[in-house]
Amino acid sequence: MNYFILFLEGIITFISPCILPMIPIYISYFIGGNKENKSSKALVNSMGFVIGFSIIFTILGAAFGTFGAFLKEYMNTFNIVAGVILILFGLNYIGILKISLLNRSFKLNSKKTRDLNFLAAITFGMIFAIGWTPCVGTFLGSALMLAANSQTTIEGIFMLLSYSLGLGIPFVISALLIDSLKSAFKFIKTHYKVINIISGSLLIIIGLLMITGYFNLLLSYLTLF
């Protein structure tokens, strides 16, 4: 269940205001100056880009999962602290709080049109993940808190991999269908406020469950089905 939650958080991150409006620019950067075979080029380079940021995020997941193992004795305290942090993230997403660090965005230089290859796209994705972290900090932070709560390196890796897939799959689909999805992008942009409220509310609910100790109980109950 926690993997599914993180997958959904990845999708929500994709449609967040700091990511979605930039998608056409990113994809045009993947295609480069050569317009021939642009679909295949966008597919290959977008996959490389996704692999790049997934590497960074899964490394973070492994680190937090490993670190969580040392917190086993203090897990109740950790759950309370992590829950408070998630609630703050949720309030920031809704707009009740303004945390400037979480609202920064990575700016891509759209004037650069030199062609990317697959390996360059992977490198670009890795570098982009580091600069992008403040922009996606709300849900990335949530994913890392859950990874730490797992207390194992392997689970931390798979949790952040789930988050990366939720973020990456829409990226690849958009690269293939960018012309067909323009109307969908416009619809999402016009409903940002509702999306932000739903997204922030999800974080607040998870935070409250962690503080009260019901989150792990809920997960253990769901594993029975």
Side-chain angles (χ1 to χ4, degrees):
M1 182 63 181
N2 45 358
Y3 297 114
F4 180 67
I5 290 174
L6 291 175
F7 182 80
L8 289 179
E9 288 187 353
I11 295 176
I12 294 172
T13 303
F14 176 81
I15 62 177
S16 66
C18 68
I19 302 298
L20 191 64
M22 300 294 290
I23 296 300
I25 298 177
Y26 300 147
I27 294 175
S28 65
Y29 193 75
F30 298 152
I31 296 172
N34 186 4
K35 300 302 181 183
E36 296 182 3
N37 300 320
K38 65 177 184 178
S39 295
S40 60
K41 192 172 184 62
L43 173 63
V44 170
N45 287 337
S46 64
M47 290 181 65
F49 178 76
V50 170
I51 290 172
F53 71 66
S54 296
I55 290 172
I56 298 299
F57 289 159
T58 51
I59 289 174
L60 289 173
F64 273 72
T66 303
F67 179 67
F70 295 100
L71 292 174
K72 190 173 183 179
E73 292 183 44
Y74 312 99
M75 193 49 60
N76 289 336
T77 302
F78 173 78
N79 282 337
I80 293 173
V81 173
V84 170
I85 292 174
L86 293 186
I87 290 173
L88 291 176
F89 284 168
L91 292 174
N92 174 78
Y93 223 70
I94 291 174
I96 296 176
L97 293 180
K98 293 294 182 182
I99 304 174
S100 58
L101 179 63
L102 299 179
N103 295 324
R104 294 178 184 174
S105 60
F106 179 89
K107 300 300 183 182
L108 177 66
N109 186 354
S110 59
K111 294 181 180 180
K112 293 182 179 180
T113 57
R114 64 184 181 84
D115 289 346
L116 288 178
N117 56 38
F118 183 70
L119 292 178
I122 292 176
T123 303
F124 176 49
M126 295 174 70
I127 297 173
F128 187 57
I130 298 172
W132 204 11
T133 298
C135 181
V136 301
T138 299
F139 283 98
L140 177 60
S142 169
L144 293 175
M145 291 297 115
L146 293 177
N149 192 52
S150 73
Q151 305 176 36
T152 67
T153 303
I154 297 299
E155 282 197 54
I157 290 174
F158 279 105
M159 282 184 178
L160 268 295
L161 183 59
S162 298
Y163 173 80
S164 298
L165 287 174
L167 178 59
I169 290 174
F171 236 116
V172 175
I173 294 175
S174 297
L176 290 174
L177 305 174
I178 184 64
D179 293 329
S180 303
L181 293 177
K182 287 181 180 179
S183 59
F185 287 156
K186 289 180 181 178
F187 175 82
I188 294 174
K189 288 179 183 179
T190 58
H191 294 83
Y192 270 152
K193 187 174 182 179
V194 175
I195 292 171
N196 286 345
I197 291 174
I198 295 174
S199 304
S201 299
L202 174 63
L203 287 175
I204 292 172
I205 291 171
I206 294 175
L208 289 173
L209 288 173
M210 292 186 73
I211 290 174
T212 57
Y214 284 106
F215 186 72
N216 289 334
L217 181 62
L218 176 62
L219 291 180
S220 62
Y221 177 75
L222 291 172
T223 56
L224 297 176
F225 295 92

